Amino acid sequence: EPEVTQTPSHQVTQMGQEVILRCVPISNHLYFYWYRQILGQKVEFLVSFYNNEISEKSEIFDDQFSVERPDGSNFTLKIRSTKLEDSAMYFCASSEALHGSGYTFGSGTRLTVV
Amino acid sequence: ILNVEQSPQSLHVQEGDSTNFTCSFPSSNFYALHWYRWETAKSPEALFVMTLNGDEKKKGRISATLNTKEGYSYLYIKGSQPEDSATYLCAFSNYGGSQGNLIFGKGTKLSVKP
């Protein structure tokens, strides 16, 4: 069964450093997403991406964050100047369509900012 | 602020017991309700996506119902097995923003004892 793959599975970074989280969505999916879960809290929407541009972003997704689809397969989340509160599990997801289709999630990247 | 509530927070049952959980969501501008099954260290797995009031979906021993007028969905597991142990997440989207932005509940953590 097709999977969404995320790398790395764990990343530890120093406060102020930049990190790039990588995702390979399912090849025939058109919509891509980033979500995150801070420990003990709900899974939160960050951004959705369609047709090579951001279609929606949450209040969390400020200028510190950016997404890119640098080639036909990868979908990346960049966090500039990381803060302690950015520590979370970051999930990438993709879907065939916006209406009525479930998302396929990756297994996440655990980001720890120290 | 749109909020999704799930109850109970956690549940411990014996193998063979049937069980159910609740997801409550805002009933206005409803678009879709998703259920996901999330095992530790794995990706959240889509179980159901429901869009119509009165929808009932079934996948093996798991089924779900949807009431969009009163804003709730039930997930039922018949004859629970140890492999059903996981966190069950529901997520809702509405017409207010982009339909791709899922708002998650905190999940119900199910433990099934052999």
Side-chain angles (χ1 to χ4, degrees):
Chain A
E1 192 162 332
E3 289 182 344
V4 172
T5 54
Q6 288 187 244
T7 54
S9 56
H10 295 87
Q11 175 131 16
V12 180
T13 190
Q14 289 214 320
M15 196 167 56
Q17 296 295 305
E18 175 181 286
V19 294
I20 297 177
L21 309 184
R22 300 180 193 280
C23 170
V24 179
I26 292 174
S27 60
N28 65 337
H29 284 186
L30 301 176
Y31 297 84
F32 314 118
Y33 315 88
W34 283 101
Y35 284 78
R36 77 173 186 190
Q37 186 190 37
I38 295 171
L39 192 63
Q41 298 185 22
K42 295 180 179 181
V43 174
E44 301 172 292
F45 169 75
L46 293 178
V47 67
S48 58
F49 193 87
Y50 170 70
N51 201 26
N52 284 319
E53 59 183 24
I54 290 174
S55 49
E56 191 188 2
K57 58 185 181 180
S58 71
E59 289 175 357
I60 303 167
F61 194 90
D62 58 22
D63 292 342
Q64 185 196 2
F65 294 88
S66 61
V67 289
E68 203 177 27
R69 189 150 161 84
D71 52 43
S73 60
N74 290 285
F75 179 51
T76 61
L77 175 70
K78 185 190 288 186
I79 310 175
R80 285 180 279 276
S81 190
T82 48
K83 301 181 281 224
L84 295 176
E85 53 265 37
D86 295 327
S87 297
M89 181 74 94
Y90 287 81
F91 291 101
C92 172
S94 67
S95 64
E96 278 184 292
L98 205 53
H99 175 68
S101 62
Y103 294 3
T104 304
F105 281 85
S107 54
T109 293
R110 167 76 62 195
L111 176 67
T112 303
V113 182
V114 296
Chain B
I1 294 177
L2 298 171
N3 200 27
V4 174
E5 295 293 339
Q6 289 188 249
S7 62
Q9 194 174 335
S10 65
L11 198 51
H12 298 263
V13 302
Q14 287 294 132
E15 183 176 353
D17 288 351
S18 293
T19 186
N20 66 85
F21 332 128
T22 306
C23 173
S24 302
F25 53 86
S27 54
S28 60
N29 297 321
F30 175 85
Y31 188 79
L33 193 283
H34 297 223
W35 280 101
Y36 290 88
R37 179 175 177 277
W38 187 16
E39 283 182 74
T40 305
K42 293 188 178 178
S43 321
E45 174 200 350
L47 290 173
F48 306 115
V49 179
M50 294 185 286
T51 55
L52 298 174
N53 185 43
D55 251 356
E56 288 189 30
K57 298 227 172 171
K58 193 170 186 294
K59 192 175 184 178
R61 292 178 292 99
I62 306 177
S63 59
T65 60
L66 178 67
N67 183 324
T68 60
K69 292 185 191 303
E70 294 180 45
Y72 65 83
S73 174
Y74 293 136
L75 188 80
Y76 301 91
I77 302 179
K78 188 176 174 183
S80 304
Q81 299 296 307
E83 57 265 31
D84 295 330
S85 297
T87 296
Y88 291 83
L89 295 171
C90 80
F92 146 90
S93 63
N94 71 348
Y95 281 100
S98 163
Q99 294 86 343
N101 173 1
L102 291 180
I103 299 163
F104 280 84
K106 259 193 159 181
T108 292
K109 187 170 182 180
L110 175 67
S111 300
V112 183
K113 289 186 182 175

